[in-house]
Amino acid sequence: MSVTTPNARKVLIKTFGCQMNVYDSERMGELLDKEGYVATNEAGEADLVILNTCHIREKAAEKVYSEVGRLRRVADERRAHGRETLIAVAGCVAQAEGAEIIRRAGAVNMVFGPQTYHRLPDMLARAREAQAQGQTPRVLDTDFPVEEKFDHMPKGRVSAGPAAFVTVQEGCDKFCTFCVVPYTRGAEISRPLAAIEGETRDLVAQGVREVTLLGQNVNAYHGDDGRGAAADLPGLIRRLAAIEGLARIRYTTSHPRDMTDALIMAHGEVDKLMPYLHLPVQAGSDRVLAAMNRKHTAESYLAIIERLRAARPDLALSGDFIVGFPGETEEDFRQTLALVEAVGYAQAYSFKYSPRPGTPAAEMADQVPEDEKADRLARLQDLLNRQQLAFNQRSVGRTMPVLFERAGRRPGQLIGRSPYMQSVHVEAADLRIGDIRACEILAAGANSLHGALAERSQAA
Ligand code: SAH
Ligand code: SF4
Ligand code: F3S
């Protein structure tokens, strides 16, 4: 830990987008801690501001530019008091737009992509050197370096309670025609099994009870197993399940194409693997799925769900959906509704299709009008919300283990998670964060459950 002195340099990291960015921001924070930076939430105090950005849907880049505009005014104000500020844009907008950001936003001093974070100390030294010479620093790094960033970054540590994330895989080779991820995160790479196991053991030693294995395509995981072969995700899960003290394992996000028999079997056999799976399908029409380059059909997706449920009957499912993909007709959209009806989701994310510059779908004819997209999204969300509420209501009267993660709003109340990812609110005097206790579910809303400790409970 760095010593907090009034003169210590301060850094503000603002994170947008997915869990991978959250994980990366934490690692950057730790790297900067070693460089003597102290975290702050106040832009006015920050000597360095890093925007860790997302490019997945529209206006993401615009949001960054308006944020930079605000920061420029703060930096001007600080300069008037003799203090310099470095403004950095990292993440997927940085990777996608690169030097264009520096051209458009003169206030930005550093632009660097997701695969370069381990070079941050070096980039900072260069920027500060330029600053010291009275120049405006301009540092740009959007390489996809051969060395793996995680080999050169601090290991994960506990900053947010007993449930932690561990990145196991990055990048994507799937090239769905709507998606920027293969361009912003690069080709699919997996971390070696031993590195993930080591990081997980460290987390458990610090009190972590649950890990979520992260990757853009986590079930494509194929990390070095240390014996010259590749480990797959079920192999990794079984290895981690042997770690004493670790109670729960989850993983996200998966692609239906990589849902292997071995992984499906693991859902039936590994007790620590939680009965919740986020498995995006995107659409229910085979014509649309083909145009999306998903390489699965509605039927093959439903067949996977059936096998998963045979292995683990209480598996809760979540998904991602896109409405209004180019060429999607009312009939195509109805097939999405039909698929949702057939699956019955516990939870889901749904989006209006957003054309991303440089992706094939953005160039396709028959773009769907905005009002049509909005109408379909409302109808889909109405159905998904009803399914979510019904799923939660079916939990009432059941007793299930809850991992308590944080304090609730009321005194004496803690909020935890059920095996199925539901938030559970419980009031009990002897509860501590990190406990896993059997709770009876008493009431359910759309977004959370209310429960009470089950008697004589000390469940795993
Ligand atoms: N690798 C993950 C994450 C992809 S991004 C996966 O395959 O699921 C998360 C979600 O954002 C996607 O599943 C998709 O539903 C949505 N998404 C991606 N690109 C989009 C776009 N151009 N417009 C609307 N939604 C998009
Ligand atoms: Fe994007 Fe498709 Fe890769 Fe997911 S699988 S990250 S949606 S290209
Ligand atoms: Fe966004 Fe990049 Fe994640 S585009 S969703 S931050 S991989």
Side-chain angles (χ1 to χ4, degrees), residues 172 174-176 178-179 181-182 216-217 255 282 294:
C172 181
K174 295 283 192 292
F175 290 93
C176 301
F178 51 80
C179 184
V181 170
Q216 265 94 20
N217 261 299
H255 194 291
Q282 313 298 353
R294 290 290 293 181

Side-chain angles (χ1 to χ4, degrees), residues 8-14 28-29 31-33 35-51 71 74-75 78 83-90 107-112 120-121 123-125 127-128 131 137 139:
R9 288 199 185 91
K10 295 205 169 84
V11 58
L12 168 64
I13 305 181
K14 280 191 91 167
M28 278 194 270
L31 203 61
L32 291 168
D33 182 277
E35 296 288 303
Y37 280 85
V38 173
T40 176
N41 290 320
E42 289 296 323
E45 289 188 348
D47 304 284
L48 168 65
V49 182
I50 300 176
L51 302 176
L71 290 173
V74 176
R78 281 168 51 87
R83 288 179 297 172
E84 291 295 328
T85 311
L86 285 171
I87 301 178
V89 177
V108 174
N109 305 110
M110 304 169 72
V111 175
F112 48 93
L120 194 49
M123 289 190 266
L124 269 175
R128 285 214 301 260
Q131 231 169 18
V139 175

Side-chain angles (χ1 to χ4, degrees), residues 233-256:
L233 185 67
L236 173 65
I237 288 168
R238 286 176 195 272
R239 180 76 79 95
L240 298 182
I243 297 176
E244 209 174 314
L246 181 65
R248 295 178 162 196
I249 301 170
R250 304 179 188 274
Y251 62 92
T252 197
T253 297
S254 302
H255 194 291

Side-chain angles (χ1 to χ4, degrees), residues 253-274:
T253 297
S254 302
H255 194 291
R257 284 188 63 207
D258 296 310
M259 218 60 224
T260 59
D261 289 343
L263 183 54
I264 292 174
M265 250 158 67
H267 276 278
E269 293 175 0
V270 181
D271 290 342
K272 291 183 181 180
L273 184 57
M274 289 292 102

